Amino acid sequence: MIEKLIEIRDLTPDMRNFVLNSWLRSLRASDCFYRRIDANIFFDNHETLITKCLERTSVLVATPADHPSLVIGYIVFDDQGFSDSVTVHYCYVKSDYRKMGIATLLFDHVSKDRHVILTHDAGELPNTTYNPYEFWRQDGRDEKEDRIKEAKYN
C-alpha cells in the first residue's frame, strides 16, 4: 500500500543539507553516548565525519509521490559492489511518518535480499550485522579488505 504513495529516488543537491542536519540532530538525540559529549564538540566533529561519509556513499530519499521535493526519509548506504551484502550507515524517517513502513521500504529497496551491515544501531533486524567500525573507516578500502569482507558475508 505505502509503495503507491511513496517514491524512492536519488538524493538531489538541494536535499543534502536536510540529510546532514537531520542525521546530526537525530543521532545526538537518540544515543546516550553522543548526548554525553559537549554539543559543540559533537556537532563540529560529527559534521565532518558525516560529510565525508556522504561524499563516498549513496543516498536514497523517500518522498510523497505527489510532492517529490519533500523528503520524509532517507537511507545512506554503500554496497561497494558486493553481491551479497550492503552497508547501511543511517536510515531516518521524519517523526510524523514513522510506523508507516517507510524505513522498511527504504531498507528493502537497498538490501534486495542481501545481508545488511549496520554502522549505527537500529535494533534487532533480521539478516543484519551491527558493525560501527565500518562508519569510522573514512579513508576508503583496499582490495584485501574488500575480499575479506566479501568472504565473511558470502
Side-chain angles (χ1 to χ4, degrees), residues 43-53 138:
F43 287 111
D44 288 347
N45 288 281
H46 227 76
E47 180 177 0
T48 300
L49 292 171
I50 292 172
T51 298
K52 286 181 180 181
C53 183
Q138 297 291 330

Side-chain angles (χ1 to χ4, degrees), residues 22-24 26-28 30-31 33-34 42 46 49-51 53-54 56-57 74-77 86-92 107 116-125 128-138:
S22 60
W23 187 346
L24 281 166
S26 66
L27 182 64
R28 171 110 171 132
S30 68
D31 191 307
F33 171 78
Y34 294 116
F42 171 81
H46 227 76
L49 292 171
I50 292 172
T51 298
C53 183
L54 291 173
R56 66 179 172 80
T57 58
Y74 59 84
I75 191 164
V76 181
F77 67 100
V86 60
T87 301
V88 171
H89 294 287
Y90 210 71
C91 184
Y92 171 83
F107 266 93
V116 176
I117 301 160
L118 301 169
T119 64
H120 289 79
D121 190 10
E124 297 293 322
L125 298 173
T128 63
T129 301
Y130 175 51
N131 182 354
Y133 301 104
E134 287 293 318
F135 177 75
W136 297 103
R137 183 172 40 209
Q138 297 291 330

Side-chain angles (χ1 to χ4, degrees), residues 34-82:
Y34 294 116
R35 286 193 306 261
R36 293 183 58 205
I37 301 170
D38 175 79
N40 290 327
I41 293 170
F42 171 81
F43 287 111
D44 288 347
N45 288 281
H46 227 76
E47 180 177 0
T48 300
L49 292 171
I50 292 172
T51 298
K52 286 181 180 181
C53 183
L54 291 173
E55 290 170 359
R56 66 179 172 80
T57 58
S58 300
V59 181
L60 292 177
V61 297
T63 68
D66 61 348
H67 198 328
S69 63
L70 176 64
V71 178
I72 59 174
Y74 59 84
I75 191 164
V76 181
F77 67 100
D78 185 3
D79 66 9
Q80 292 290 323
F82 295 118

Side-chain angles (χ1 to χ4, degrees), residues 91-124:
C91 184
Y92 171 83
V93 176
K94 286 182 175 179
S95 59
D96 289 345
Y97 298 93
R98 293 183 187 153
K99 304 291 183 192
M100 298 176 155
I102 295 168
T104 300
L105 188 65
L106 287 163
F107 266 93
D108 289 349
H109 195 84
V110 166
S111 70
K112 301 176 183 148
D113 295 323
R114 296 180 289 180
H115 183 81
V116 176
I117 301 160
L118 301 169
T119 64
H120 289 79
D121 190 10
E124 297 293 322

